[in-house]
PDB file of all heavy atoms in Angstrom:
ATOM      1  N   ARG A 246      -5.350   1.341   4.623  1.00 98.00           N
ATOM      2  CA  ARG A 246      -5.440   2.794   4.673  1.00 98.00           C
ATOM      3  C   ARG A 246      -5.694   3.241   3.247  1.00 98.00           C
ATOM      4  O   ARG A 246      -5.338   2.642   2.252  1.00 98.00           O
ATOM      5  CB  ARG A 246      -4.115   3.409   5.248  1.00 98.00           C
ATOM      6  CG  ARG A 246      -3.829   3.033   6.683  1.00 98.00           C
ATOM      7  CD  ARG A 246      -4.892   3.604   7.593  1.00 98.00           C
ATOM      8  NE  ARG A 246      -4.634   3.371   9.009  1.00 98.00           N
ATOM      9  CZ  ARG A 246      -5.123   2.350   9.685  1.00 98.00           C
ATOM     10  NH1 ARG A 246      -5.817   1.425   9.088  1.00 98.00           N
ATOM     11  NH2 ARG A 246      -4.877   2.206  10.952  1.00 98.00           N
ATOM     12  N   ASP A 250      -3.784   8.829   2.202  1.00 96.00           N
ATOM     13  CA  ASP A 250      -3.112   8.678   3.535  1.00 96.00           C
ATOM     14  C   ASP A 250      -1.805   7.957   3.317  1.00 96.00           C
ATOM     15  O   ASP A 250      -0.801   8.285   3.952  1.00 96.00           O
ATOM     16  CB  ASP A 250      -3.956   7.889   4.486  1.00 96.00           C
ATOM     17  CG  ASP A 250      -5.250   8.725   4.862  1.00 96.00           C
ATOM     18  OD1 ASP A 250      -5.163   9.793   5.338  1.00 96.00           O
ATOM     19  OD2 ASP A 250      -6.313   8.188   4.535  1.00 96.00           O
TER      20      ASP A 250
ATOM     21  N   LEU B  13      -8.961  18.920   6.634  1.00 96.00           N
ATOM     22  CA  LEU B  13      -8.984  17.530   6.248  1.00 96.00           C
ATOM     23  C   LEU B  13     -10.321  16.894   6.415  1.00 96.00           C
ATOM     24  O   LEU B  13     -10.783  16.828   7.531  1.00 96.00           O
ATOM     25  CB  LEU B  13      -7.927  16.761   7.029  1.00 96.00           C
ATOM     26  CG  LEU B  13      -6.604  16.469   6.273  1.00 96.00           C
ATOM     27  CD1 LEU B  13      -5.768  17.705   6.095  1.00 96.00           C
ATOM     28  CD2 LEU B  13      -5.834  15.457   7.086  1.00 96.00           C
ATOM     29  N   CYS B  15     -12.348  13.732   6.596  1.00 97.00           N
ATOM     30  CA  CYS B  15     -12.063  12.252   6.737  1.00 97.00           C
ATOM     31  C   CYS B  15     -13.299  11.469   6.968  1.00 97.00           C
ATOM     32  O   CYS B  15     -14.293  12.016   7.410  1.00 97.00           O
ATOM     33  CB  CYS B  15     -11.056  12.138   7.944  1.00 97.00           C
ATOM     34  SG  CYS B  15      -9.566  13.012   7.744  1.00 97.00           S
ATOM     35  N   ALA B  36      -8.032  11.283  20.148  1.00 96.00           N
ATOM     36  CA  ALA B  36      -7.381  10.212  19.399  1.00 96.00           C
ATOM     37  C   ALA B  36      -6.355  10.753  18.435  1.00 96.00           C
ATOM     38  O   ALA B  36      -5.310  10.179  18.283  1.00 96.00           O
ATOM     39  CB  ALA B  36      -8.437   9.360  18.590  1.00 96.00           C
ATOM     40  N   VAL B  37      -6.655  11.909  17.782  1.00 96.00           N
ATOM     41  CA  VAL B  37      -5.749  12.530  16.860  1.00 96.00           C
ATOM     42  C   VAL B  37      -4.511  12.997  17.606  1.00 96.00           C
ATOM     43  O   VAL B  37      -3.341  12.675  17.161  1.00 96.00           O
ATOM     44  CB  VAL B  37      -6.413  13.743  16.119  1.00 96.00           C
ATOM     45  CG1 VAL B  37      -5.357  14.489  15.305  1.00 96.00           C
ATOM     46  CG2 VAL B  37      -7.502  13.205  15.145  1.00 96.00           C
ATOM     47  N   ALA B  40      -2.278  10.117  18.577  1.00 94.00           N
ATOM     48  CA  ALA B  40      -1.492   9.539  17.417  1.00 94.00           C
ATOM     49  C   ALA B  40      -0.335  10.464  17.116  1.00 94.00           C
ATOM     50  O   ALA B  40       0.725   9.994  16.793  1.00 94.00           O
ATOM     51  CB  ALA B  40      -2.427   9.368  16.217  1.00 94.00           C
ATOM     52  N   VAL B  41      -0.598  11.755  17.155  1.00 93.00           N
ATOM     53  CA  VAL B  41       0.397  12.752  16.793  1.00 93.00           C
ATOM     54  C   VAL B  41       1.568  12.674  17.917  1.00 93.00           C
ATOM     55  O   VAL B  41       2.756  12.646  17.505  1.00 93.00           O
ATOM     56  CB  VAL B  41      -0.113  14.208  16.746  1.00 93.00           C
ATOM     57  CG1 VAL B  41       0.991  15.240  16.761  1.00 93.00           C
ATOM     58  CG2 VAL B  41      -0.992  14.426  15.564  1.00 93.00           C
ATOM     59  N   THR B  44       3.586   9.420  17.189  1.00 91.00           N
ATOM     60  CA  THR B  44       4.380   9.447  15.985  1.00 91.00           C
ATOM     61  C   THR B  44       5.381  10.551  15.944  1.00 91.00           C
ATOM     62  O   THR B  44       6.514  10.298  15.431  1.00 91.00           O
ATOM     63  CB  THR B  44       3.367   9.579  14.699  1.00 91.00           C
ATOM     64  OG1 THR B  44       2.221   8.801  14.969  1.00 91.00           O
ATOM     65  CG2 THR B  44       4.071   9.175  13.473  1.00 91.00           C
ATOM     66  N   LEU B  71     -11.357  17.948  10.123  1.00 96.00           N
ATOM     67  CA  LEU B  71     -10.317  18.366  11.053  1.00 96.00           C
ATOM     68  C   LEU B  71      -9.616  19.642  10.515  1.00 96.00           C
ATOM     69  O   LEU B  71      -9.392  19.812   9.278  1.00 96.00           O
ATOM     70  CB  LEU B  71      -9.254  17.258  11.155  1.00 96.00           C
ATOM     71  CG  LEU B  71      -9.679  15.857  11.468  1.00 96.00           C
ATOM     72  CD1 LEU B  71      -8.529  14.816  11.391  1.00 96.00           C
ATOM     73  CD2 LEU B  71     -10.233  15.826  12.908  1.00 96.00           C
ATOM     74  N   PHE B  73      -6.179  21.846  10.683  1.00 93.00           N
ATOM     75  CA  PHE B  73      -4.808  21.892  11.121  1.00 93.00           C
ATOM     76  C   PHE B  73      -4.222  23.276  10.601  1.00 93.00           C
ATOM     77  O   PHE B  73      -4.703  23.806   9.684  1.00 93.00           O
ATOM     78  CB  PHE B  73      -3.945  20.849  10.451  1.00 93.00           C
ATOM     79  CG  PHE B  73      -4.226  19.417  10.914  1.00 93.00           C
ATOM     80  CD1 PHE B  73      -4.518  18.395  10.086  1.00 93.00           C
ATOM     81  CD2 PHE B  73      -4.167  19.131  12.270  1.00 93.00           C
ATOM     82  CE1 PHE B  73      -4.785  17.066  10.502  1.00 93.00           C
ATOM     83  CE2 PHE B  73      -4.484  17.816  12.797  1.00 93.00           C
ATOM     84  CZ  PHE B  73      -4.785  16.835  11.888  1.00 93.00           C
ATOM     85  N   LEU B  80       2.633  17.013   8.195  1.00 90.00           N
ATOM     86  CA  LEU B  80       3.274  16.366   9.321  1.00 90.00           C
ATOM     87  C   LEU B  80       2.192  15.731  10.205  1.00 90.00           C
ATOM     88  O   LEU B  80       2.229  14.562  10.525  1.00 90.00           O
ATOM     89  CB  LEU B  80       4.217  17.215  10.114  1.00 90.00           C
ATOM     90  CG  LEU B  80       4.979  16.504  11.187  1.00 90.00           C
ATOM     91  CD1 LEU B  80       6.037  15.582  10.571  1.00 90.00           C
ATOM     92  CD2 LEU B  80       5.704  17.503  12.102  1.00 90.00           C
ATOM     93  N   LEU B  81       1.230  16.564  10.583  1.00 92.00           N
ATOM     94  CA  LEU B  81       0.136  16.107  11.478  1.00 92.00           C
ATOM     95  C   LEU B  81      -0.700  15.032  10.735  1.00 92.00           C
ATOM     96  O   LEU B  81      -1.100  14.086  11.364  1.00 92.00           O
ATOM     97  CB  LEU B  81      -0.707  17.253  11.915  1.00 92.00           C
ATOM     98  CG  LEU B  81       0.056  18.321  12.735  1.00 92.00           C
ATOM     99  CD1 LEU B  81      -0.769  19.517  13.077  1.00 92.00           C
ATOM    100  CD2 LEU B  81       0.708  17.747  14.012  1.00 92.00           C
ATOM    101  N   TRP B  82      -0.922  15.228   9.468  1.00 95.00           N
ATOM    102  CA  TRP B  82      -1.712  14.358   8.658  1.00 95.00           C
ATOM    103  C   TRP B  82      -1.040  12.935   8.670  1.00 95.00           C
ATOM    104  O   TRP B  82      -1.697  11.912   8.757  1.00 95.00           O
ATOM    105  CB  TRP B  82      -1.839  14.866   7.259  1.00 95.00           C
ATOM    106  CG  TRP B  82      -2.651  14.064   6.244  1.00 95.00           C
ATOM    107  CD1 TRP B  82      -3.369  12.890   6.539  1.00 95.00           C
ATOM    108  CD2 TRP B  82      -2.754  14.295   4.887  1.00 95.00           C
ATOM    109  NE1 TRP B  82      -3.931  12.431   5.352  1.00 95.00           N
ATOM    110  CE2 TRP B  82      -3.563  13.292   4.370  1.00 95.00           C
ATOM    111  CE3 TRP B  82      -2.220  15.323   3.996  1.00 95.00           C
ATOM    112  CZ2 TRP B  82      -3.859  13.206   2.985  1.00 95.00           C
ATOM    113  CZ3 TRP B  82      -2.552  15.250   2.643  1.00 95.00           C
ATOM    114  CH2 TRP B  82      -3.363  14.230   2.163  1.00 95.00           C
ATOM    115  N   SER B  83       0.329  12.960   8.569  1.00 94.00           N
ATOM    116  CA  SER B  83       0.980  11.620   8.530  1.00 94.00           C
ATOM    117  C   SER B  83       0.855  10.818   9.774  1.00 94.00           C
ATOM    118  O   SER B  83       1.172   9.651   9.830  1.00 94.00           O
ATOM    119  CB  SER B  83       2.506  11.886   8.230  1.00 94.00           C
ATOM    120  OG  SER B  83       3.126  12.493   9.322  1.00 94.00           O
ATOM    121  N   ALA B  84       0.347  11.455  10.864  1.00 94.00           N
ATOM    122  CA  ALA B  84       0.180  10.653  12.088  1.00 94.00           C
ATOM    123  C   ALA B  84      -1.229   9.966  12.090  1.00 94.00           C
ATOM    124  O   ALA B  84      -1.490   8.960  12.767  1.00 94.00           O
ATOM    125  CB  ALA B  84       0.193  11.593  13.345  1.00 94.00           C
ATOM    126  N   LEU B  85      -2.169  10.490  11.224  1.00 96.00           N
ATOM    127  CA  LEU B  85      -3.554   9.913  11.217  1.00 96.00           C
ATOM    128  C   LEU B  85      -3.612   8.474  10.897  1.00 96.00           C
ATOM    129  O   LEU B  85      -4.455   7.714  11.515  1.00 96.00           O
ATOM    130  CB  LEU B  85      -4.439  10.750  10.283  1.00 96.00           C
ATOM    131  CG  LEU B  85      -4.603  12.211  10.654  1.00 96.00           C
ATOM    132  CD1 LEU B  85      -5.597  12.903   9.672  1.00 96.00           C
ATOM    133  CD2 LEU B  85      -5.128  12.392  12.115  1.00 96.00           C
ATOM    134  N   PRO B  86      -2.775   7.907   9.943  1.00 97.00           N
ATOM    135  CA  PRO B  86      -2.914   6.497   9.656  1.00 97.00           C
ATOM    136  C   PRO B  86      -2.598   5.588  10.870  1.00 97.00           C
ATOM    137  O   PRO B  86      -2.974   4.404  10.915  1.00 97.00           O
ATOM    138  CB  PRO B  86      -1.868   6.273   8.576  1.00 97.00           C
ATOM    139  CG  PRO B  86      -1.671   7.602   7.913  1.00 97.00           C
ATOM    140  CD  PRO B  86      -1.902   8.588   9.016  1.00 97.00           C
ATOM    141  N   PHE B  87      -1.977   6.161  11.909  1.00 97.00           N
ATOM    142  CA  PHE B  87      -1.601   5.397  13.073  1.00 97.00           C
ATOM    143  C   PHE B  87      -2.685   5.278  14.088  1.00 97.00           C
ATOM    144  O   PHE B  87      -2.538   4.582  15.099  1.00 97.00           O
ATOM    145  CB  PHE B  87      -0.315   5.985  13.733  1.00 97.00           C
ATOM    146  CG  PHE B  87       0.905   5.742  12.825  1.00 97.00           C
ATOM    147  CD1 PHE B  87       1.301   6.885  12.010  1.00 97.00           C
ATOM    148  CD2 PHE B  87       1.548   4.638  12.688  1.00 97.00           C
ATOM    149  CE1 PHE B  87       2.364   6.727  11.152  1.00 97.00           C
ATOM    150  CE2 PHE B  87       2.676   4.436  11.830  1.00 97.00           C
ATOM    151  CZ  PHE B  87       3.042   5.546  11.060  1.00 97.00           C
ATOM    152  N   ILE B  88      -3.816   5.934  13.802  1.00 97.00           N
ATOM    153  CA  ILE B  88      -4.966   5.751  14.716  1.00 97.00           C
ATOM    154  C   ILE B  88      -5.607   4.381  14.377  1.00 97.00           C
ATOM    155  O   ILE B  88      -5.888   4.114  13.226  1.00 97.00           O
ATOM    156  CB  ILE B  88      -6.042   6.861  14.412  1.00 97.00           C
ATOM    157  CG1 ILE B  88      -5.494   8.237  14.862  1.00 97.00           C
ATOM    158  CG2 ILE B  88      -7.362   6.513  15.179  1.00 97.00           C
ATOM    159  CD1 ILE B  88      -6.367   9.382  14.420  1.00 97.00           C
ATOM    160  N   THR B  89      -5.676   3.537  15.453  1.00 97.00           N
ATOM    161  CA  THR B  89      -6.324   2.227  15.292  1.00 97.00           C
ATOM    162  C   THR B  89      -7.613   2.064  16.037  1.00 97.00           C
ATOM    163  O   THR B  89      -8.335   1.061  15.839  1.00 97.00           O
ATOM    164  CB  THR B  89      -5.364   1.103  15.712  1.00 97.00           C
ATOM    165  OG1 THR B  89      -4.976   1.326  17.033  1.00 97.00           O
ATOM    166  CG2 THR B  89      -4.108   1.117  14.833  1.00 97.00           C
ATOM    167  N   PHE B 101     -10.313   3.214  11.625  1.00 98.00           N
ATOM    168  CA  PHE B 101      -9.228   3.949  11.002  1.00 98.00           C
ATOM    169  C   PHE B 101      -9.820   5.158  10.303  1.00 98.00           C
ATOM    170  O   PHE B 101     -11.040   5.123  10.007  1.00 98.00           O
ATOM    171  CB  PHE B 101      -8.388   3.161  10.083  1.00 98.00           C
ATOM    172  CG  PHE B 101      -9.047   2.644   8.784  1.00 98.00           C
ATOM    173  CD1 PHE B 101      -8.893   3.379   7.608  1.00 98.00           C
ATOM    174  CD2 PHE B 101      -9.748   1.491   8.740  1.00 98.00           C
ATOM    175  CE1 PHE B 101      -9.465   2.961   6.461  1.00 98.00           C
ATOM    176  CE2 PHE B 101     -10.290   1.024   7.567  1.00 98.00           C
ATOM    177  CZ  PHE B 101     -10.159   1.770   6.375  1.00 98.00           C
ATOM    178  N   LEU B 102      -8.977   6.146   9.977  1.00 98.00           N
ATOM    179  CA  LEU B 102      -9.454   7.356   9.305  1.00 98.00           C
ATOM    180  C   LEU B 102      -9.026   7.325   7.868  1.00 98.00           C
ATOM    181  O   LEU B 102      -7.892   6.920   7.562  1.00 98.00           O
ATOM    182  CB  LEU B 102      -8.811   8.648   9.981  1.00 98.00           C
ATOM    183  CG  LEU B 102      -9.730   9.460  10.937  1.00 98.00           C
ATOM    184  CD1 LEU B 102     -10.222   8.597  12.079  1.00 98.00           C
ATOM    185  CD2 LEU B 102      -8.979  10.663  11.467  1.00 98.00           C
ATOM    186  N   CYS B 104      -8.708   9.771   4.680  1.00 97.00           N
ATOM    187  CA  CYS B 104      -8.820  11.148   4.275  1.00 97.00           C
ATOM    188  C   CYS B 104      -9.393  11.263   2.895  1.00 97.00           C
ATOM    189  O   CYS B 104      -8.898  10.683   1.911  1.00 97.00           O
ATOM    190  CB  CYS B 104      -7.424  11.806   4.214  1.00 97.00           C
ATOM    191  SG  CYS B 104      -7.441  13.467   3.673  1.00 97.00           S
TER     192      CYS B 104
END
Side-chain angles (χ1 to χ4, degrees):
Chain A
R246 293 297 181 268
D250 295 299
Chain B
L13 257 69
C15 304
V37 171
V41 169
T44 319
L71 306 173
F73 290 128
L80 185 69
L81 298 176
W82 180 8
S83 68
L85 299 183
F87 295 98
I88 295 173
T89 56
F101 69 93
L102 258 58
C104 178

